[in-house]
Amino acid sequence: MASSVSSQHDEVLVEEKSFARILTLNRPKQLNALSFQMVSRILELFLAYEEDPNVKLVILKVSILNGIVMGGGNGASMHGRFRVATENTLFAMPETAVGLFPDVGASYFLSRLPGFFGEYVGLTGARLDGAEMLACGLATHFVPSAKLPMLEAALCEIDSSDPGFISSIICQYSEQPSLKPQSVYNRLDVIDRCFSQKTVEEILSALEREVVDPRDDWISATIRTLKKASPTSLKISLRSIRVGRFQGVGPCLVREYRMVSHVMRGEFSKDLLEGCRAILLDKDKNPKWEPSKLELVTDTIVDRYFSKVKDEDWEDLKLPVRSKFNLPPHVVAKL
């Protein structure tokens, strides 16, 4: 037990500065991939800070996105009030490539991106830089990395939890970066035409119709990426994002927990195990998906991932009961 507690504390570093608390993820060899111990420790700290009148602001280094932010790291940061990107930021939700789906509340935040950009990002695992994150709304601010120490110092001087005041401080160090000419966000018109389609098969067909110029590498690469991903993952991911568009973050998390429970149990498909083998372990990058084709993944199969797990020992995710009267309006709106 003592070593477990020590591990929790080592993996999440805590600094107390005036009315601010700075939490830093500390598993550098694993690229700060979230562990159960880290999540438990962060939750413990958040619950303590919520009851502590001396804590006005929590800075989570991940929410200051100065580097790679993928998968679980997005879950730890995207639901926060402020997300600060830099020129070093690299965002991705690459789950469909390994037989999973964008979880950690991704069906909530991806579904709220402009147009159908969320479907594109979630299905393809596209990598976005800081300027693209700001443009689409995944980031609220863009601050050059050289200014981060000054920003952090300024935030630590704040004696307020007022979002408008905090935003004004961040804005003092923010810039408006330009999108690169080849940015995928400049292709939003094509993305909307294609990723607004009802099914994954129709999305692929729409993309193939867009290939007028064989030199258009972006569309060809997008098609290749989709065809290489797990067919099951693509279909449950699309359904999840579409359902999430009409749900609050709480119901999204409950539903995604059901989905990931089915994926981990491997009842309907063992694509996650195969994806991890091919991409992360053997690294042959040649997964053998089963079912192997989109047309073999029927609506009935997809429905199963959204149903309750038929196991008497299994329970739905139960989120902490919150009193909406004690929460800020922007939080209530998300629930």
Side-chain angles (χ1 to χ4, degrees):
M1 179 64 74
S3 62
S4 176
V5 172
S6 175
S7 174
Q8 286 185 10
H9 288 248
D10 291 343
E11 293 183 356
V12 180
L13 305 181
V14 180
E15 295 177 74
E16 298 185 5
K17 294 188 177 181
S18 188
F19 294 97
R21 299 295 181 268
I22 303 172
L23 309 184
T24 304
L25 303 186
N26 187 40
R27 294 180 76 212
K29 291 183 179 179
Q30 294 81 19
L31 299 179
N32 287 329
L34 290 174
S35 65
F36 175 77
Q37 288 79 11
M38 293 169 81
V39 173
S40 300
R41 177 61 174 155
I42 291 171
L43 175 60
E44 176 188 13
L45 291 166
F46 279 1
L47 291 173
Y49 295 156
E50 189 174 40
E51 301 297 326
D52 189 344
N54 292 317
V55 178
K56 307 288 188 182
L57 176 72
V58 177
I59 301 173
L60 178 62
K61 293 185 178 177
V62 168
S63 297
I64 293 182
L65 312 169
N66 189 33
I68 298 172
V69 192
M70 292 187 179
N74 289 313
S77 56
M78 290 300 138
H79 302 290
R81 184 67 180 85
F82 303 107
R83 287 94 54 196
V84 178
T86 76
E87 75 280 4
N88 299 320
T89 303
L90 175 63
F91 168 99
M93 296 295 291
E95 285 81 3
T96 61
V98 295
L100 191 55
F101 65 93
D103 57 348
V104 295
S107 62
Y108 178 84
F109 63 76
L110 289 180
S111 65
R112 282 156 176 78
L113 300 186
F116 294 86
F117 195 62
E119 277 91 334
Y120 164 73
V121 171
L123 296 185
T124 65
R127 298 183 174 193
L128 306 179
D129 63 22
E132 291 167 328
M133 288 188 70
L134 183 68
C136 75
L138 285 169
T140 58
H141 299 80
F142 181 98
V143 175
S145 59
K147 294 184 178 180
L148 289 180
M150 292 181 287
L151 169 62
E152 191 173 306
L155 290 173
C156 289
E157 295 298 319
I158 292 177
D159 180 12
S160 171
S161 292
D162 178 65
F165 181 65
I166 294 171
S167 181
S168 69
I169 298 297
I170 302 174
C171 285
Q172 293 177 23
Y173 300 90
S174 298
E175 294 183 1
Q176 188 67 39
S178 299
L179 291 171
K180 296 173 183 175
Q182 69 274 25
S183 168
V184 295
Y185 204 67
N186 291 328
R187 309 299 297 268
L188 199 55
D189 55 339
V190 178
I191 288 171
D192 284 350
R193 279 200 300 273
C194 297
F195 285 83
S196 60
Q197 300 299 316
K198 186 177 180 180
T199 67
V200 179
E201 291 92 332
E202 290 170 333
I203 289 173
L204 272 167
S205 295
L207 284 166
E208 287 166 346
R209 288 194 297 271
E210 293 283 343
V211 185
V212 182
D213 185 348
R215 294 171 297 179
D216 193 337
D217 292 338
W218 173 75
I219 292 181
S220 300
T222 301
I223 292 171
R224 288 194 301 271
T225 297
L226 290 173
K227 288 185 174 180
K228 197 166 186 180
S230 158
T232 299
S233 291
L234 290 174
K235 290 210 169 181
I236 65 175
S237 297
L238 182 62
R239 170 86 67 89
S240 181
I241 293 169
R242 297 272 163 91
V243 172
R245 191 165 272 126
F246 302 97
Q247 291 182 324
V249 67
C252 283
L253 289 168
V254 172
R255 173 178 42 74
E256 291 173 6
Y257 180 72
R258 281 189 183 184
M259 295 171 65
V260 81
S261 295
H262 284 298
V263 171
M264 295 301 293
R265 289 164 67 93
E267 299 167 291
F268 316 130
S269 169
K270 293 181 170 53
D271 278 3
L272 177 59
L273 293 176
E274 174 60 10
C276 290
R277 180 206 63 77
I279 307 300
L280 303 176
L281 298 176
D282 297 342
K283 299 184 179 180
D284 56 56
K285 297 184 180 180
N286 188 31
K288 300 292 188 290
W289 306 124
E290 185 60 43
S292 60
K293 298 179 180 178
L294 286 168
E295 57 266 30
L296 297 177
V297 185
T298 64
D299 287 344
T300 301
I301 291 175
V302 174
D303 290 342
R304 293 173 181 168
Y305 286 89
F306 292 77
S307 64
K308 291 188 73 170
V309 174
K310 295 179 181 178
D311 184 330
E312 61 181 20
D313 294 326
W314 182 90
E315 294 182 352
D316 265 328
L317 177 67
K318 290 181 174 61
L319 297 172
V321 177
R322 318 286 297 182
S323 170
K324 292 185 178 181
F325 298 105
N326 298 326
L327 296 174
H330 75 271
V331 175
V332 175
K334 292 178 68 173
L335 300 177

